[in-house]
Amino acid sequence: MKLLTKLKPLVSNQARKDFFNLVIFYSAYLWFRSISNAVLVPHFYKEGLSFTQIILGLVFFFIGAILLQLIFKQYSAIKHWRLSIISFYLSILLIINITNPFQFYLSLALGGFSLLGFFMLYNIAHFELTPKNHTGFSSAIMFSVGPSIALATPLIAGLLAQHSYYYVWIISGISALIAMFFTSKQKDFTLKYSLKESMSYLQPTRIFIFLQGVWEALVIAIIPIYTLLFISTPLKYGIYMAYLSLMSILANLFLGRATDKIQKRSIFLYPLTISLALTTYLFPFTTSSLVLWIIITGLIKFLLPLFHNISTAFLVDAHPKLRVAIPGRELLLSVGRLIGITITLISFLLQPTPKIIFLFLGTVMLIYPATLYYRTTISKRYNYL
């Protein structure tokens, strides 16, 4: 609540109320996803799935997200938020007792439907209610809610799963109902878009969105799965995930406010992306040491919300027509993530504990600041904020 009052002098009472209701709904939805997801990877491992099968499931996850966007070109916010909650809970029900891998793949495809259906509409609603000169701070609020919630949910889920995963499924169902209740408090709107128009509008930034998606295979697939080599019990895994969340919150909020004052977000992207690339290059040296693994993954999770905050505010600054920009952004991210995770899958098929994948992903992230520098300083084709 204290964070939201920072926006008070700049918006109407109704807009503040709408923004507050939206963030409460967002928090309820993220709680639902987080409590359900927190210790799923050890559950998959316990159910007999191999590392490669888990990664293949993530491939289906992003195929599901891409298919949803290719099939539907018009969305009603409240309707699709409700469908997102329902489809995600159905995906949870499907993996309670995994009898064959195809059941698992279907579950993750439904999870992909849910993720895209929620966030594409939420991002539009969030930034349409944000004053232009507070984009960075509003982005910081958005990217701080998840880590704040994830301080508690992995510990709770880990404790429950230590006794029985069925307690996790019950809490997940109750959380889904709470998130569903808050959809009725939201301001409805309809999104109708053309992917061709969206891609054309995103031309100045689409390479950056795609590169981000490819690199995120590290945090979406590799870190959760590699961690099983060190930690496989749900409680210890939950403690580790809570530690990762703890690394991100304060710095994210601080930097969000700082970029609003400077209003030159591309300056922050250079040190952040270079730091992420160099840290990714260090991963091959950590795969045989739990202490090093904890340190390096903690550093990544410290930098990641900062990067998400700045890159999202960077996009919103460059493309104020959110209903045109966001659909293309989500598709590019999904395609990039699909490619990154597919290459990760190939790496795991060729080697049980691959290390070259880290060099590939580090180079992908290094291309980000190199491209930004080329476009702004050498070719001078674009002048980014």
Side-chain angles (χ1 to χ4, degrees):
M1 185 64 181
K2 184 179 179 181
L3 296 174
L4 301 183
T5 59
K6 301 284 186 184
L7 304 174
K8 186 174 181 179
L10 301 160
V11 293
S12 67
N13 289 333
Q14 185 59 48
R16 287 200 303 274
K17 181 180 178 182
D18 290 341
F19 188 78
F20 179 74
N21 285 336
L22 187 69
V23 173
I24 292 297
F25 167 53
Y26 180 59
S27 302
Y29 179 79
L30 288 189
W31 172 275
F32 163 49
R33 286 193 72 95
S34 185
I35 198 73
S36 306
N37 272 335
V39 290
L40 273 188
V41 175
H43 171 68
F44 296 152
Y45 195 55
K46 178 175 170 287
E47 289 288 299
L49 294 173
S50 67
F51 285 4
T52 54
Q53 286 173 323
I54 296 172
I55 298 171
L56 182 56
L58 291 170
V59 169
F60 279 95
F61 183 94
F62 288 106
I63 288 174
I66 292 168
L67 285 177
L68 179 71
Q69 202 165 0
L70 293 177
I71 293 170
F72 296 101
K73 299 297 190 302
Q74 183 170 323
Y75 298 82
S76 165
I78 290 178
K79 175 184 175 182
H80 280 85
W81 280 332
R82 287 172 176 165
L83 286 173
S84 293
I85 293 167
I86 292 168
S87 62
F88 184 68
Y89 191 63
L90 287 175
S91 76
I92 294 298
L93 294 177
L94 276 171
I95 52 86
I96 290 176
N97 182 26
I98 301 173
T99 56
N100 64 77
F102 295 103
Q103 174 189 348
F104 170 66
Y105 303 146
L106 176 60
S107 166
L108 267 72
L110 281 174
F113 283 133
S114 169
L115 187 77
L116 181 76
F118 179 85
F119 280 102
M120 182 167 62
L121 294 160
Y122 179 81
N123 288 340
I124 291 170
H126 185 99
F127 287 106
E128 284 187 344
L129 288 170
T130 297
K132 178 66 177 174
N133 61 338
H134 268 51
T135 300
F137 189 66
S138 181
S139 179
I141 291 173
M142 187 169 77
F143 287 111
S144 293
V145 172
S148 299
I149 288 171
L151 280 174
T153 50
L155 298 175
I156 295 169
L159 283 168
L160 293 172
Q162 199 74 3
H163 296 284
S164 172
Y165 269 95
Y166 283 99
Y167 294 121
V168 178
W169 316 139
I170 292 169
I171 296 296
S172 176
I174 295 169
S175 301
L177 292 175
I178 294 171
M180 187 70 77
F181 168 78
F182 281 109
T183 59
S184 62
K185 306 292 183 182
Q186 305 314 305
K187 188 176 179 180
D188 199 11
F189 64 91
T190 300
L191 173 64
K192 188 175 182 180
Y193 64 87
S194 161
L195 284 175
K196 183 179 179 180
E197 179 189 6
S198 186
M199 288 298 177
S200 177
Y201 184 56
L202 287 173
Q203 184 174 358
T205 58
R206 60 192 180 195
I207 181 64
F208 304 117
I209 300 167
F210 174 75
L211 290 171
Q212 175 182 335
V214 175
W215 178 84
E216 284 182 352
L218 177 71
V219 291
I220 293 170
I222 298 176
I223 290 177
I225 291 168
Y226 244 108
T227 300
L228 290 172
L229 295 173
F230 303 107
I231 305 167
S232 59
T233 63
L235 180 56
K236 290 181 179 178
Y237 194 90
I239 293 170
Y240 169 76
M241 297 306 290
Y243 152 75
L244 293 183
S245 297
L246 183 61
M247 297 301 293
S248 63
I249 302 167
L250 294 177
N252 186 30
L253 289 173
F254 167 77
L255 194 57
R257 295 182 66 185
T259 59
D260 282 329
K261 292 178 181 178
I262 296 174
Q263 287 293 313
K264 194 70 176 174
R265 279 174 248 281
S266 60
I267 292 173
F268 289 89
L269 283 170
Y270 286 109
L272 278 172
T273 50
I274 292 170
S275 297
L276 284 169
L278 295 177
T279 306
T280 305
Y281 284 138
L282 292 175
F283 268 83
F285 303 103
T286 70
T287 54
S288 58
S289 168
L290 175 59
V291 173
L292 289 177
W293 181 259
I294 289 173
I295 292 170
I296 296 301
T297 55
L299 181 57
I300 284 286
K301 291 297 284 188
F302 177 80
L303 294 169
L304 186 61
L306 304 180
F307 173 59
H308 282 161
N309 174 6
I310 301 301
S311 61
T312 302
F314 174 65
L315 174 94
V316 173
D317 288 337
H319 308 292
K321 297 178 183 177
L322 297 176
R323 300 191 186 199
V324 179
I326 295 297
R329 172 188 181 266
E330 295 302 322
L331 181 62
L332 282 169
L333 279 175
S334 293
V335 171
R337 289 163 177 167
L338 177 61
I339 291 172
I341 290 170
T342 301
I343 294 171
T344 300
L345 174 63
I346 294 169
S347 300
F348 271 85
L349 287 171
L350 294 175
Q351 190 178 13
T353 55
K355 295 184 179 181
I356 197 168
I357 185 64
F358 298 116
L359 304 179
F360 168 76
L361 294 176
T363 303
V364 166
M365 182 51 78
L366 209 55
I367 293 171
Y368 193 117
T371 304
L372 187 61
Y373 180 79
Y374 175 80
R375 288 188 167 189
T376 56
T377 306
I378 298 176
S379 72
K380 297 183 180 179
R381 187 178 178 184
Y382 299 106
N383 182 26
Y384 301 105
L385 277 177

